Amino acid sequence: MNAISNAALSTPLLTPFLVERNKKHFIDGRWVGSASGECIDTFNPATGGLLATLARGRQEDVDRAVRVARQAFEGPWRRFTPGQRQRLIMRFAELFDKHFDELTLLESLDMGAPLHTRLRPGKAALVQTILYYAAQARNIQGETPHNSLPGQVTTMILKAPVGVVGAIIPWNGPLFAQMHVLGPVLATGCTAIIKPAEDASLTVLRTAELLVEAGLPPGVVNVVTGIGAEAGAALAAHPDVNRIAFTGSTGVGREIIKASAGNMKRLQLELGGKSPDIVFADADLDKAVPGVAMGVYGNSGQICFAGTRVFVQRSIQAEFLERMSAFGNTLKVGDPLALETDLGPLITQRQLDRVLGYVEQGKQEGAALVSGGRRLGGDLANGYFLEPTLFGNVSNQMTVAQEEIFGPVASVIPFDTADEALALANATPYGLASGVWSANVNTVMKMVHGIQAGTVWVNCYGMVDPAVGFGGYKESGYGWKGGAAQIDGYLYQKAAYINVTA
């Protein structure tokens, strides 16, 4: 593993958006301070230095944003035709493309993702996602089913926007996460209040500005910053919010389910994961090793679907461990703004301590630390940098194999037969994603049909297309991101019975 440093770590590199470091809520198309006047600090994870100050949203701020969103839903926005909504989304796509370098710089400063290896290569996928939702604005259809009623009764099934949507999005990729809220909201004619994570809110705030510049009426999309237990909880329980879209931990997801009971909110929950990535002896290791490794180490392991439980057929386990360790040692960890960086820091000191705690627990439970496992020092000592970490000699019952670590920690677990691999893969309360590496189509199809997860990647890992979508199973949540199923989640059905003889 190679650690790198860069002058950017010590140089205050600003975008125009960060000239003013005190950030307010974005409500009704303008900047609004918190009702309490309180703020929270957010830090650059690469340096540990103060990056910006955010308004600390509470119940009163959420109430204001929901009230504005309801007024916008009942106001001019309701009269936008599908074609008008589509054109607005396409204008937003143009602005997003134009300002992409600024947005990715903000995200890199805010949450530490490498600018050149993770964020900027994702430009095409993000623009494609926005354009997909633009197409869906014209693709909402009802039905005119025949009926068996007496007389001349015409029946129709109509679809209408559910109303006000509350979205609580995570810190590990807000630039991506917000698109799976903004897209269906704008395509269907809903309105939204977004509560970004307190550790990474800047790209969401900047995006809200761009939406208004694209022609979105004020109040259609609002952003309330703050702490999850305060602003997020208030949004989840608000009686005038019709739908909640949440991405985060399973524990918080349970609390949102309870909070939704007050007015029977619709929910879309993408929760925790402990995804299996299964490597058979006939796999092409030249592709499987880097594919599996980046399925764990990408974004420094801070990905909900990270394939951290790596099941390797016993006959190739020694070779696989050697090759994956060698690959991990080639990854450059350091300044997320540097061209050569592969992995940036973890989001906070708190998260770094949490991941290091799991590393120690893994060693105590008998797992063999093959490589990594240490915080980086030197020029990187003030940031939250951790080496990519690989454990061997892991059993599926160990803590590192069962609990979501959310850091660059892979656990290699041996298996002998396909049936054993399937049983081990499913021996978890989670069911978010999975991977299979094999050249045998029979083996592949056995795994595809047998694995209990919302996504199965075969001879690849982490691909997501907006037309196909993504979602969880078991304690990894329910609801769908992308595809027709997600659009339907932002609509409700109503039946009309028209007696033409009356």
Side-chain angles (χ1 to χ4, degrees), residues 73 77 85 160-165 184-192 220 490-491:
F73 178 70
W77 178 237
R85 293 199 303 272
V162 296
V164 177
V165 175
V185 162
L186 301 180
T188 60
C190 292
T191 59
V220 174
Y490 286 72
L491 301 165

Side-chain angles (χ1 to χ4, degrees), residues 403-426:
E403 296 186 12
E404 186 175 34
I405 297 173
F406 229 62
V409 181
S411 297
V412 172
I413 304 166
F415 71 90
D416 293 303
T417 67
D419 286 337
E420 182 187 6
L422 200 55
L424 289 169
N426 291 336

